[in-house]
Amino acid sequence: MEEERKFSDICGGRLALQRRYYSPSCREFCLSCPRLSLRSLTAVTCTVWLAAYGLFTLCENSMILSAAIFITLLGLLGYLHFVKIDQETLLIIDSLGIQMTSSYASGKETTTFIEMNKVKDVVINEAIYMQKVIYYLCILLKDPVEPHEISQVVPVFQSSKPRLDCLIEVYRSCQEILAHEKATSRSP
Amino acid sequence: MVLKAFFPTCCASADSGLLVGRWVPEQSSAVVLAVVHFPFIPIQVKELLAQVQQASRVGVAVLGTWCHCQQKPEESLGRFLEGLGAVFPHDPWLQLCRERGSKFWSCKATHRQVPAAPGAASEDQVMLIFYDQRKVLLSQLHPPAALPDHQAGDASASTGGLAAIFDTVARSESLFRSDRFDEGPVRLSHWQSEGVEASILVELAKRASGPVCLLLACLLSLVSAASACRVFKLWPLSFLGSKLSTCEQLRHRLEQLTLIFSTQKATDPTELMRCDRPAQPLRHPHSANMLVSVLLDVNRLGQLADALVPVADHVAEQLQHLLQWLMGAPAGLKMNRALDQVLGRFFLYHIHLWISYIHLMSPFIERILWHVGLSACLGLTVALSILWDIIALLTFHIYCFYVYGARLYCLKVYGLSSLWRLFRGKKWNVLRQRVDSCSYDLDQLFIGTLLFTILVFLLPTTALYYLVFTLLRLLVVAVQGLIHLLVDMVNSLPLYSLGLRLCRPYRLAAGVKFRILEHQAGRPLRLLMQINPLPYGRVVHTYRLPSCGCHPKHSWGSLCRKLFLGELIYPWRQREDKQD
């Protein structure tokens, strides 16, 4: 069962949340970030090339122009491969764990999997970021030595940064699964 | 809890039979290791499982049945499969079924024992997780934080979570030894059933490694005995040996090689990991070997020797120009003419001596360099260490100038501080380590003030010379430091592990990742488990070899203080030397 809804992130950009409901114990949330806009790309390229042309008129060395082209290309490739995240996915499987995948614009995917026995809870936290108060969803991990203490807080959807309404949806589904998992693990 | 069945991808197309594997009750997961095909005799299957259990200490048992047939299973086959449940008692009893050519499976897990609460289902939901048996067998999990009390391999696989799955598969190697060409009583299907994987070269290397290790260990012990003999402990040679970084590097390499080729068993698990990758330091000099043979041609050595003497001349000339500039009015400052001339002439004479020495040695330099360059084939690090030593020897006069300037300046600063105290009527009490007031005689005060004035007016000249030579010395130290850093980096870089991460990423695993396969409502959920390789930064961090560890012992604050006071800086002095 698939559902798609439109939300917005903390800066006002448009996000699309896709929910896939595979079974009562397995759900997937896929947040798509806004694509690289042509406007910003053109602006950056023009600035860099104008600066290079300015340097060229000062130094009369044509290497500067080729270097500027090179730098622009490499910079764009590096940005697409290492910085620009296209989609963030949260897969929660009852009794296995929670998996977070980030796919970059160049196709690279990085995955982190946290086992269910390490997960204490999934909560929405507040944070003060410059002049804003933002909400973010995070996974609390159990301390292996002290089972009642929290050892680490892992934030989710770090680069798409959705607003509270989107987070509440995801939070409710996660809590359903966690509650179901706790209920079944307690019964023999 | 949902029952998780870990199924190997290689058995997905196998014929019907029995599922053999391990049941982990804490996580409610069944790890299927192999499929036993019909026809079989139950007694023989039980014997085989007992053998495997004894060899690997993994609780292998028959978990259920596997049915891969043309159409829907018939009634009789169904009852036969259920009857098998009576022969091999296992709770819960797994029944996996797949139609040939269909993607979707049907799974059932039944509990034998009737649950206490009535109405509770005796059947569990099953989740299928496919895994690549070969990759899981060969890979090594790197947990994010290893707790100190959980280390050193607990015998029973009581490690939690996915580590238990990896552990089970890795330890059941004895189950995978037979392939379908063997004439055993039981026919198994697993990742090696099409033929056991082996490499002729690896087998040959294993056979040859014993005697070769022995031979090399003998050679190395001879070399170490020769280097430990009494001659090298005498003063000039031992002093040189501790100062030259080439000797340090050779000693380090000798230690490493001795460790690798030692015939004793490694006790420490980290040692074992390094011996387990015996090629690691071996491959490294080999690759560095190729690099060096490309970089340092024998022709190039001659060119280097030819270029050395003019470079030394050039440096000396530049130093002379610098001293002439200092003897004039450097940067518009007015120097004390007499002291200026004395110091300038002293240093100029020193340079003259040095140049004469270089010109005297120049016919021998080429020959020495050629012989020294031969030893550079021992590796890039040795070549870099030789470069370090050559730089140290060539800039020896800068070091001398720095020492003279620093000593002079230091004396001046101490004298000034002591006479300043006298000027104010105070004295340094050595016993109490503090400044006390003291009444001086008139003539003491007179001479003290006179000397103080003289020292104050001579201070700018001495300070300038000190500044200039300290800067030169710091420049040389910076260059040497860079080379040292490079040598350290090459020494401690785990090239083998990086290569492994590049070519066989599944060997070094940071974790796993799951992918949900095509799903149909009402059918059990199917997942594919893949290995998540370790990022390169963590590979270097985990497997980095211990380096010489020549880190600067001073903080920036103490360095600045020493520079200000004129105390000598020894950047390469090891901690042990300080205790001597």
Side-chain angles (χ1 to χ4, degrees):
Chain A
M1 188 167 92
E2 259 191 53
E3 254 183 42
E4 187 167 326
R5 274 185 63 176
K6 297 263 186 276
F7 290 98
S8 64
D9 69 8
I10 54 174
C11 306
R14 278 210 330 229
L15 295 174
L17 175 72
Q18 241 186 357
R19 274 188 308 184
R20 283 190 208 110
Y21 180 85
Y22 291 109
S23 82
S25 58
C26 177
R27 294 204 193 148
E28 191 177 26
F29 303 97
C30 189
L31 260 182
S32 323
C33 308
R35 302 279 180 147
L36 182 65
S37 74
L38 197 59
R39 202 180 294 177
S40 61
L41 181 64
T42 323
V44 171
T45 316
C46 285
T47 326
V48 173
W49 285 359
L50 275 174
Y53 191 70
L55 268 176
F56 169 69
T57 47
L58 277 174
C59 306
E60 305 290 334
N61 189 357
S62 64
M63 283 295 286
I64 295 179
L65 295 176
S66 9
I69 295 175
F70 221 51
I71 289 171
T72 320
L73 272 174
L74 282 178
L76 182 66
L77 284 174
Y79 177 72
L80 290 179
H81 192 72
F82 293 112
V83 178
K84 179 85 184 78
I85 293 184
D86 246 358
Q87 238 184 24
E88 283 187 304
T89 312
L90 182 75
L91 173 68
I92 175 160
I93 307 173
D94 180 13
S95 80
L96 250 190
I98 305 181
Q99 173 170 291
M100 294 162 300
T101 314
S102 310
S103 18
Y104 291 81
S106 63
K108 177 172 101 159
E109 277 186 14
T110 48
T111 319
T112 321
F113 179 73
I114 303 173
E115 293 176 52
M116 204 42 112
N117 57 5
K118 291 208 184 93
V119 171
K120 188 159 197 282
D121 205 358
V122 171
V123 295
I124 297 183
N125 242 354
E126 275 179 343
I128 298 178
Y129 179 68
M130 304 258 252
Q131 81 284 11
K132 293 191 267 219
V133 173
I134 57 170
Y135 297 93
Y136 63 99
L137 190 73
C138 55
I139 304 175
L140 303 174
L141 299 184
K142 282 187 206 157
D143 198 20
V145 178
E146 283 279 331
H148 295 290
E149 301 233 334
I150 298 167
S151 76
Q152 218 184 338
V153 173
V154 179
V156 176
F157 298 138
Q158 265 186 303
S159 59
S160 36
K161 297 196 194 76
R163 287 202 176 158
L164 191 60
D165 43 5
C166 178
L167 290 177
I168 289 179
E169 292 260 353
V170 180
Y171 172 78
R172 278 209 189 107
S173 304
C174 291
Q175 286 295 327
E176 271 172 31
I177 295 193
L178 285 177
H180 181 251
E181 196 254 329
K182 282 200 178 79
T184 47
S185 69
R186 232 173 263 144
S187 65
Chain B
M1 225 202 261
V2 177
L3 195 146
K4 301 177 283 253
F6 288 85
F7 198 81
T9 45
C10 48
C11 298
S13 51
D15 289 330
S16 316
L18 283 178
L19 293 169
V20 160
R22 181 182 170 218
W23 167 248
V24 185
E26 303 93 39
Q27 299 154 46
S28 171
S29 40
V31 185
V32 175
L33 294 168
V35 176
V36 173
H37 295 295
F38 305 118
F40 57 83
I41 303 174
I43 304 283
Q44 285 174 340
V45 171
K46 286 188 187 167
E47 264 175 28
L48 173 73
L49 291 179
Q51 267 175 17
V52 169
Q53 195 157 350
Q54 205 181 25
S56 60
R57 286 173 300 158
V58 172
V60 205
V62 174
L63 297 172
T65 55
W66 161 242
C67 181
H68 190 201
C69 46
Q70 294 295 342
Q71 57 280 346
K72 282 221 173 339
E74 306 117 355
E75 275 297 313
S76 52
L77 185 61
R79 238 172 278 139
F80 169 63
L81 290 174
E82 278 185 31
L84 280 174
V87 181
F88 297 103
H90 189 265
D91 186 43
W93 184 248
L94 208 58
Q95 283 169 297
L96 301 175
C97 185
R98 181 189 178 188
E99 286 162 48
R100 215 172 276 274
S102 153
K103 267 188 284 189
F104 300 107
W105 299 28
S106 72
C107 314
K108 222 166 42 160
T110 44
H111 285 280
R112 278 313 147 60
Q113 297 149 0
V114 177
S122 66
E123 275 194 20
D124 270 341
Q125 266 197 332
V126 182
M127 187 159 54
L128 270 174
I129 302 174
F130 296 107
Y131 70 98
D132 190 329
Q133 212 165 37
R134 175 172 176 265
K135 290 194 179 162
V136 170
L137 182 81
L138 291 172
S139 83
Q140 196 183 5
L141 264 184
H142 295 82
L147 287 174
D149 45 347
H150 280 225
Q151 259 181 15
D154 204 357
S156 64
S158 60
T159 45
L162 291 158
I165 315 290
F166 277 71
D167 199 47
T168 310
V169 179
R171 291 227 236 124
S172 318
E173 265 203 76
S174 50
L175 188 63
F176 305 135
R177 287 230 185 96
S178 62
D179 55 19
R180 67 185 171 100
F181 305 107
D182 280 345
E183 300 288 334
V186 179
R187 215 166 42 101
L188 286 171
S189 248
H190 46 74
W191 70 281
Q192 273 191 347
S193 54
E194 296 297 318
V196 175
E197 246 188 36
S199 155
I200 296 181
L201 293 170
V202 168
E203 295 297 318
L204 280 174
K206 275 193 202 156
R207 300 291 153 108
S209 67
V212 164
C213 270
L214 206 59
L215 181 68
L216 280 167
C218 289
L219 274 172
L220 284 169
S221 60
L222 273 172
V223 172
S224 341
S227 67
C229 80
R230 305 275 297 183
V231 175
F232 292 114
K233 291 259 176 5
L234 295 177
W235 182 77
L237 285 175
S238 72
F239 179 72
L240 273 179
S242 66
K243 291 291 172 209
L244 288 179
S245 92
T246 317
C247 301
E248 192 63 46
Q249 183 62 25
L250 285 171
R251 211 176 302 153
H252 182 71
R253 277 273 170 263
L254 199 68
E255 266 171 33
Q256 268 188 344
L257 285 174
T258 324
L259 180 67
I260 298 303
F261 289 113
S262 71
T263 47
Q264 296 159 349
K265 268 188 186 290
T267 49
D268 192 7
T270 46
E271 260 184 54
L272 187 65
M273 213 188 295
R274 267 182 221 120
C275 289
D276 199 19
R277 292 151 168 49
Q280 188 166 351
L282 269 186
R283 298 240 176 108
H284 160 231
H286 277 232
S287 63
N289 209 350
M290 288 195 287
L291 260 174
V292 169
S293 62
V294 166
L295 290 176
L296 281 180
D297 243 348
V298 184
N299 283 343
R300 297 263 187 89
L301 272 180
Q303 285 174 5
L304 190 69
D306 283 341
L308 257 181
V309 174
V311 162
D313 268 344
H314 178 75
V315 166
E317 216 181 286
Q318 292 297 317
L319 268 179
Q320 276 176 333
H321 282 309
L322 181 71
L323 280 167
Q324 298 286 1
W325 179 69
L326 278 176
M327 275 162 66
L333 295 168
K334 190 168 191 318
M335 303 270 105
N336 181 300
R337 182 140 292 268
L339 184 62
D340 214 359
Q341 296 285 323
V342 162
L343 287 176
R345 293 234 176 93
F346 171 66
F347 288 130
L348 277 173
Y349 182 60
H350 208 277
I351 292 178
H352 171 78
L353 276 178
W354 179 256
I355 288 293
S356 328
Y357 165 71
I358 292 277
H359 280 284
L360 201 70
M361 289 287 290
S362 67
F364 303 111
I365 284 181
E366 195 186 301
R367 207 167 297 168
I368 295 173
L369 215 67
W370 193 82
H371 285 291
V372 159
L374 274 184
S375 71
C377 73
L378 289 173
L380 181 67
T381 46
V382 178
L384 282 173
S385 309
I386 292 173
L387 185 67
W388 194 97
D389 288 331
I390 288 177
I391 289 180
L393 285 174
L394 280 184
T395 56
F396 189 63
H397 50 332
I398 296 181
Y399 178 59
C400 285
F401 289 174
Y402 163 70
V403 172
Y404 300 148
R407 284 266 183 252
L408 214 59
Y409 178 76
C410 182
L411 272 171
K412 178 153 283 189
V413 165
Y414 276 124
L416 269 175
S417 58
S418 160
L419 289 171
W420 169 245
R421 274 182 234 122
L422 178 137
F423 197 65
R424 284 160 51 221
K426 299 214 190 290
K427 198 176 95 143
W428 173 254
N429 192 339
V430 186
L431 217 59
R432 300 280 183 111
Q433 295 286 314
R434 64 169 189 210
V435 177
D436 276 342
S437 64
C438 170
S439 60
Y440 290 99
D441 294 341
L442 194 64
D443 42 355
Q444 278 178 330
L445 276 175
F446 180 63
I447 295 190
T449 315
L450 207 65
L451 283 173
F452 177 71
T453 325
I454 292 174
L455 283 179
V456 161
F457 287 126
L458 289 180
L459 185 66
T461 315
T462 330
L464 192 72
Y465 272 89
Y466 172 65
L467 186 74
V468 166
F469 291 128
T470 310
L471 284 175
L472 277 176
R473 172 76 186 140
L474 285 178
L475 188 70
V476 171
V477 163
V479 168
Q480 284 186 327
L482 268 172
I483 296 180
H484 216 98
L485 211 69
L486 207 62
V487 168
D488 244 359
M489 207 186 72
V490 174
N491 260 344
S492 66
L493 200 67
L495 279 177
Y496 178 69
S497 306
L498 282 175
L500 202 63
R501 166 68 182 87
L502 199 64
C503 307
R504 304 255 186 280
Y506 57 83
R507 291 283 295 264
L508 303 166
V512 294
K513 50 187 179 196
F514 291 93
R515 209 181 75 196
I516 301 196
L517 300 173
E518 218 179 291
H519 178 66
Q520 216 183 45
R523 298 282 196 165
L525 192 63
R526 294 180 312 141
L527 300 162
L528 177 66
M529 182 171 92
Q530 287 165 316
I531 310 248
N532 204 9
L534 208 56
Y536 287 100
R538 270 194 67 194
V539 172
V540 172
H541 186 255
T542 319
Y543 290 106
R544 105 187 274 131
L545 301 165
S547 57
C548 286
C550 310
H551 299 299
K553 306 288 187 256
H554 319 289
S555 65
W556 286 107
S558 73
L559 184 73
C560 288
R561 197 182 68 89
K562 284 198 181 181
L563 281 175
F564 188 68
L565 285 180
E567 283 174 27
L568 289 176
I569 307 167
Y570 296 105
W572 312 124
R573 187 169 265 196
Q574 307 275 355
R575 220 167 241 160
E576 303 87 54
D577 292 351
K578 282 205 180 121
Q579 290 164 2
D580 286 340

